[in-house]
Amino acid sequence: MKPQYAKIAMQDITRSLRQFPLAAFLAWEDIKQRYVRTMLGPLWIVFSTGIWFGAMGFVMANLFHQSPSEYFPFMVGGLLIWILISSSVIESSQVLVMSAPLITSFSIPIFTHYIRFILRNYIIFLHNVLILAIVLLIYPPQVTAATWLVIPGLLLNLFILMSGAIFLSLANLRYRDTHLAVASALQVLPFVTPIFWNRGMLQNHKWIADINPFYHMIEIVRQPILGQLPSTLSWIYTGVLAVGSFVVACVLFIRYRHRIIFWL
Amino acid sequence: MSHIVVHNVNVHYPILQDHYMSIRRAMLRVITGGRLYRQDKDTKLVHALKDVCFELRDGDRVGLVGRNGAGKSTLLKTIGGFILPDNGNLHVSGVVTSLFSVNGGMDIERSGYDNVFLMGRLLGIHRKEMIKHLADIAEFSELGHFLKMPVRAYSDGMKVRLGVAIVTCIHPDILILDEAIGAGDAHFIEKTTQRAQKLYERANIMIMASHDPVILRRLCNKAIWLDQGKVIKTGPVEEVIEAYTTATL
């Protein structure tokens, strides 16, 4: 690896951060683009997820013999973060392929496209928070000092999703099977991850939840929403995941930043 | 002040073939420790620029001539920072703006107005500044009330008019183009050429690849003749084009 590769990758990232408003503009355009020629506009996301959550919550609370006041905040909190994670992961393998027209014709830093991608997904997440707000109004949770941990939880997830996006998008450039593989893997995950049910229900098989990174990524945000502290295991797991994926992403970005143009 | 120094620049680029993209082969290669499907055998490298040297300063209007595949686009992309030279030195001072197509970044679902700001932003012009150009863009493109409609509803000619009107608003330090801006119906070609010419003159340095000697003679004062990735001749536009046309006849 030539030393200039690191310099080029660093320049790309610093330029993209200096041009943050450009990434924000593009992300915002993506959001607007979704609602062109729709009547309800952003309310669509809220409606569709709202109906889904309401119906699921009602049925699941009965299935699992849980009180709605406990089950609704638990499920809606978990699902919101799951939607953020899964839609980000699915899109992430396509970040570079979708931006190909811009990458090949404008002098925009490559990293700008990753910022655009993560901002877009977090903006959509914020739409959905409206549903959580409604649920929490009906079934108020305890607000404790732990509630503030929502913010570091979301940031830690942002870090992991961003690093994951660099890995998956580069893999997808070389091996176009990647996004298909990712999409099929994600179909199974909501069933094996404690989103609708909790870890305690696994009884003797709690390891199924404990080894699942997505479980911990959900927990570090969901527990604070419910006013509770996430477990130490969740902190360690997501912390290690964030650092590990960050290192891998850095190495890949430095190594392959200058090859991207040839692989599009 | 803009300045470009290209010294002994070499560029290779890989030709990706279908099997290169397959995850199955990649896995086999890893599992068998490279005994099957050696990567270096799969990859074909094209030596697109060979020891290219030249220097450009303010006021240089450079035409790139050469046959298809001579390396003109690769050279433009290298100067534009899209491609990293494998070795040699490339020094560019000044912001490079590339216009490879007038419709780049256009979103057909959005209105003409929205696209003014979208494309302007991609070319590095902020909303506030773009607002000042709005009247001018509307007048030049002759789109009138169509500007409020989605670009999807435009004819190809109208799209080009909008694109030209927008991209000619920029104030580039260094401008690189693949072919001169100019398309549309007879009436519009003349207008476009005039407007584009003003853009070229605003740039400190302009580099344009073109197959049209008439256009190059009119717009450029220098030329570089490339063949199979090598610089054959550089100098005043008249001399280089003369040599190039004689050689290719």
Side-chain angles (χ1 to χ4, degrees):
Chain A
M1 206 179 338
K2 295 185 195 172
Q4 54 166 340
Y5 294 167
K7 199 177 130 208
I8 284 171
M10 274 312 294
Q11 276 173 351
D12 189 272
I13 293 173
T14 46
R15 262 180 71 211
S16 73
L17 293 176
R18 244 184 290 132
Q19 297 183 28
F20 182 81
L22 172 64
F25 171 84
L26 290 171
W28 195 244
E29 286 296 309
D30 287 338
I31 301 287
K32 283 206 256 172
Q33 152 81 278
R34 292 168 89 99
Y35 304 124
V36 167
R37 298 162 74 200
T38 65
M39 238 174 10
L40 293 178
L43 285 177
W44 265 119
I45 294 190
V46 181
F47 272 138
S48 60
T49 33
I51 290 166
W52 181 27
F53 287 6
M56 285 287 274
F58 181 73
V59 173
M60 293 290 183
N62 280 310
L63 266 178
F64 297 134
H65 311 292
Q66 307 260 321
S67 80
S69 63
E70 269 176 35
Y71 187 72
F72 263 98
F74 169 83
M75 185 206 79
V76 171
L79 257 182
L80 280 184
I81 300 141
W82 170 249
I83 292 172
L84 170 69
I85 294 172
S86 66
S87 64
S88 303
V89 172
I90 285 182
E91 275 180 40
S92 64
S93 49
Q94 297 278 60
V95 170
L96 293 173
V97 174
M98 300 282 260
S99 315
L102 297 189
I103 293 175
T104 48
S105 54
F106 294 97
S107 313
I108 298 172
I110 303 263
F111 200 70
T112 294
H113 303 292
Y114 292 105
I115 302 178
R116 171 191 190 175
F117 143 82
I118 205 78
L119 279 179
R120 177 174 67 225
N121 278 286
Y122 269 73
I123 292 172
I124 294 171
F125 170 73
L126 289 179
H127 279 62
N128 284 336
V129 166
L130 192 62
I131 298 171
L132 182 67
I134 295 168
V135 170
L136 295 184
L137 274 179
I138 303 171
Y139 305 112
Q142 324 141 267
V143 176
T144 63
T147 309
W148 288 104
L149 290 173
V150 167
I151 295 164
L154 284 172
L155 286 176
L156 209 50
N157 279 340
L158 184 144
F159 229 73
I160 297 170
L161 292 172
M162 193 84 150
S163 307
I166 291 176
F167 171 73
L168 288 175
S169 59
L170 283 170
N172 191 52
L173 275 195
R174 284 291 297 274
Y175 311 109
R176 302 287 163 118
D177 314 67
T178 309
H179 82 272
L180 299 170
V182 167
S184 55
L186 277 173
Q187 283 182 333
V188 196
L189 277 167
F191 301 102
V192 298
T193 308
I195 301 170
F196 300 106
W197 40 276
N198 65 48
R199 177 177 169 272
M201 293 176 186
L202 286 168
Q203 292 175 358
N204 294 329
H205 298 284
K206 293 198 176 71
W207 59 271
I208 295 175
D210 292 340
I211 58 161
N212 183 345
F214 296 100
Y215 166 66
H216 298 289
M217 287 171 75
I218 291 170
E219 283 297 283
I220 55 164
V221 186
R222 172 158 67 183
Q223 288 307 325
I225 290 175
L226 304 174
Q228 281 151 18
L229 277 172
S231 70
T232 321
L233 178 67
S234 293
W235 284 123
I236 295 173
Y237 203 127
T238 46
V240 170
L241 194 60
V243 174
S245 60
F246 177 73
V247 172
V248 172
C250 282
V251 171
L252 288 175
F253 196 68
I254 290 171
R255 183 80 188 79
Y256 297 117
R257 156 72 184 75
H258 64 285
R259 314 290 292 171
I260 290 172
I261 187 95
F262 298 128
W263 290 345
L264 285 171
Chain B
M1 258 291 286
S2 301
H3 192 198
I4 300 173
V5 184
V6 180
H7 186 70
N8 282 336
V9 161
N10 280 279
V11 169
H12 298 78
Y13 63 80
I15 303 289
L16 295 192
Q17 285 157 357
D18 279 350
H19 63 227
Y20 195 59
M21 298 284 193
S22 153
I23 209 163
R24 188 169 54 87
R25 293 221 172 193
M27 279 162 69
L28 272 175
R29 203 171 61 222
V30 173
I31 294 166
T32 60
R35 274 185 292 269
L36 277 175
Y37 304 115
R38 292 267 300 263
Q39 182 174 349
D40 43 337
K41 279 187 184 161
D42 282 358
T43 321
K44 287 201 171 59
L45 284 177
V46 174
H47 197 171
L49 293 180
K50 296 170 190 159
D51 295 320
V52 171
C53 292
F54 59 84
E55 190 173 350
L56 302 175
R57 298 174 180 283
D58 281 350
D60 284 345
R61 310 269 167 261
V62 187
L64 293 185
V65 294
R67 281 190 269 175
N68 288 326
K72 301 190 294 293
S73 298
T74 308
L75 180 56
L76 289 179
K77 288 198 166 144
T78 309
I79 293 170
F82 295 92
I83 295 176
L84 179 72
D86 292 311
N87 49 50
N89 283 315
L90 172 69
H91 173 79
V92 177
S93 65
V95 178
V96 184
T97 308
S98 48
L99 287 182
F100 294 136
S101 91
V102 291
N103 290 346
M106 198 179 269
D107 181 348
I108 59 162
E109 291 298 327
R110 311 294 301 277
S111 73
Y113 278 121
D114 288 340
N115 273 294
V116 169
F117 296 111
L118 177 62
M119 289 176 65
R121 201 67 184 70
L122 289 169
L123 291 162
I125 314 176
H126 289 255
R127 190 179 181 87
K128 268 187 200 157
E129 204 191 326
M130 216 59 209
I131 287 174
K132 293 182 207 155
H133 292 293
L134 257 185
D136 173 47
I137 289 172
E139 195 203 311
F140 175 80
S141 63
E142 297 173 19
L143 283 168
H145 62 276
F146 271 99
L147 278 176
K148 288 181 193 143
M149 292 188 195
V151 171
R152 190 169 27 81
Y154 292 17
S155 69
D156 287 342
M158 289 161 82
K159 281 180 202 158
V160 172
R161 266 146 62 190
L162 178 65
V164 171
I166 297 170
V167 299
T168 42
C169 289
I170 54 176
H171 283 259
D173 290 347
I174 299 166
L175 180 66
I176 55 181
L177 306 107
D178 216 340
E179 290 296 339
I181 299 172
D185 48 38
H187 152 72
F188 206 71
I189 274 190
E190 192 45 44
K191 268 178 77 177
T192 301
T193 313
Q194 282 175 15
R195 190 175 164 104
Q197 196 145 356
K198 281 187 200 141
L199 165 69
Y200 306 148
E201 282 160 13
R202 280 202 297 273
N204 297 336
I205 296 177
M206 194 255 310
I207 311 172
M208 174 190 286
S210 178
H211 288 286
D212 188 340
V214 180
I215 286 184
L216 290 178
R217 280 199 175 97
R218 199 176 68 218
L219 298 176
C220 301
N221 52 22
K222 280 188 175 179
I224 297 173
W225 171 15
L226 286 171
D227 193 54
Q228 294 179 25
K230 284 192 197 128
V231 174
I232 304 292
K233 191 174 170 65
T234 55
V237 66
E238 210 48 63
E239 269 177 40
V240 177
I241 288 183
E242 184 67 41
Y244 171 65
T245 37
T246 340
T248 46
L249 272 180

